[in-house]
Amino acid sequence: MVTFLPTRPGRLADVPSYDRTIGGAESNVACALAGAGHTVKWISRVGADGFGDHLVEAIGAYGVDTSGVRRDPERPTGIYFRTATDRATDTHEVAYYRAGSAASAMAPGALAPEDLWAGRVLHLSGITPALSDSCLALTRELTRRVPGRPLLSFDVNHRPGLWRDADGARVLLDLARGADLVLVGEDEAAEAWDLHGADAIRAALPEPETLVVKRGSEGATAYTRTVSSGTGGAPHTGAGDTVVSVPALRVDVVAPVGAGDAFAAGFLSATLRGLPVEARLRHGHLMAAAALTVAGDLATPPSRAHADRLAALDADAWGTLRLGPGWTGADEPEVRTP
């Protein structure tokens, strides 16, 4: 969808002008992964209007394959406005205009299976099923455990304002159980499911092979378990998880938006490269730091060599790393703190 970012802080009622940009959890992840050097296809529906043209062109400019995007001549492209403040604060406002949008018309059978299953990973978010009953039916179909599907990644992305009834949180938990990799914030799990702490979240979500709990400034924790071949089959229920935690980086934040999608892209990038779990978490933090140090949702990621060098730091060096605006394009961007 098209995002309108305020040109200054303040209530939506008071901000006089906005900058147009692109938004959407899945497309953000797609753009970040393409920027990190991966082959990525974005599958969606947009209107046959100027905003739809802008989205397809802008996302394609990141190197994303948009051939799977369908144009809807009857429904408009979705848009939304938001304030400049953090989602976690009481002053944050979001105005969605997505009811009846082209994306809300996605449904089972409307998307080509050869598009959906073409890659090594199929990434979904909890925003899509909130858009309409048909989008929910599509997401239920895609999260069914069937043999041969690609690794199914699901970012919970609980947005209460998008759901039409109070069942959204329960629905998201059911959908997450069908995924192979789940990413969820500790705060959103507490709000949506009344689950407090990473261990409690894992107890409620034992099915995914990998669960990543994002713990804000505290860092992130990954629970992984070995599965038999074939990620789309029945979940492995063997004893025990390997649990890895990585502290968050110190970041000079410009705008606290887009970090969750960026973290997902960093973690998925390292997963696709077969890196160890600790490195996957570190790459998630690094990609999130890139998003946090720019005004919009999307940032230029660090080069792969640069990210690998930082991800390979020892624990002490990682703990003293501090990143600020422009760090992804600098030769020596990190600032060491005593």
Side-chain angles (χ1 to χ4, degrees):
M1 60 185 168
V2 172
T3 306
F4 288 92
L5 304 178
T7 54
R8 64 181 176 119
R11 301 185 311 155
L12 290 179
D14 299 330
V15 175
S17 60
Y18 296 80
D19 292 325
R20 183 194 64 178
T21 183
I22 60 177
E26 295 89 347
S27 58
N28 285 344
V29 172
C31 291
L33 279 170
H38 298 278
T39 300
V40 187
K41 174 177 277 192
W42 175 54
I43 303 168
S44 188
R45 288 176 72 91
V46 299
D49 51 27
F51 285 152
D53 293 341
H54 172 63
L55 282 176
V56 172
E57 292 167 5
I59 293 171
Y62 279 88
V64 176
D65 180 353
T66 60
S67 64
V69 179
R70 301 293 179 257
R71 306 300 296 268
D72 192 323
E74 299 178 356
R75 300 174 181 85
T77 302
I79 63 174
Y80 88 111
F81 297 78
R82 65 167 172 81
T83 52
T85 50
D86 189 351
R87 283 194 183 98
T89 68
D90 293 336
T91 58
H92 184 70
E93 298 175 72
V94 177
Y96 290 106
Y97 297 92
R98 305 184 76 171
S101 68
S104 72
M106 290 189 294
L111 302 177
E114 59 269 24
D115 284 338
L116 292 167
W117 282 30
R120 293 167 56 197
V121 174
L122 175 61
H123 179 70
L124 309 173
S125 91
I127 293 176
T128 298
L131 299 182
S132 66
D133 290 340
S134 65
C135 283
L136 173 57
L138 171 64
T139 312
R140 288 193 188 280
E141 180 178 274
L142 295 177
T143 53
R144 284 193 301 115
R145 294 187 177 275
V146 294
R149 77 176 187 189
L151 185 142
L152 198 293
S153 169
F154 185 77
D155 194 342
V156 172
N157 265 319
H158 179 233
R159 299 287 183 268
L162 285 176
W163 288 92
R164 301 165 300 286
D165 54 49
D167 290 337
R170 177 190 56 79
V171 169
L172 288 174
L173 189 61
D174 289 342
L175 293 171
R177 288 182 172 131
D180 303 305
L181 163 62
V182 172
L183 301 108
V184 63
E186 194 171 42
D187 55 348
E188 67 180 336
E191 178 187 21
W193 306 324
D194 196 26
L195 296 173
H196 301 276
D199 288 346
I201 299 169
R202 181 52 160 172
L205 279 171
E207 297 89 352
E209 172 189 348
T210 302
L211 170 69
V212 179
V213 180
K214 297 170 288 182
R215 296 163 34 238
S217 61
E218 296 299 312
T221 298
Y223 297 78
T224 58
R225 101 172 15 111
T226 303
V227 295
S228 56
S229 59
T231 57
H236 178 75
T237 56
D241 278 323
T242 299
V243 183
V244 177
S245 293
V246 170
L249 291 163
R250 302 181 187 190
V251 179
D252 297 329
V253 176
V254 172
V257 293
D261 299 332
F263 183 97
F267 190 90
L268 286 171
S269 174
T271 298
L272 286 164
R273 296 172 59 200
L275 300 183
V277 173
E278 182 179 20
R280 299 178 193 186
L281 291 170
R282 286 192 171 195
H283 278 274
H285 285 313
L286 288 165
M287 196 77 86
L292 288 169
T293 50
V294 298
D297 288 12
L298 290 168
T300 301
S303 69
R304 184 170 291 186
H306 188 183
D308 283 344
R309 181 173 64 82
L310 295 180
L313 292 173
D314 62 36
D316 288 341
W318 179 267
T320 60
L321 194 62
R322 189 183 187 101
L323 301 174
W327 74 269
T328 60
D331 291 333
E332 293 294 335
E334 59 268 27
V335 177
R336 302 288 177 163
T337 57

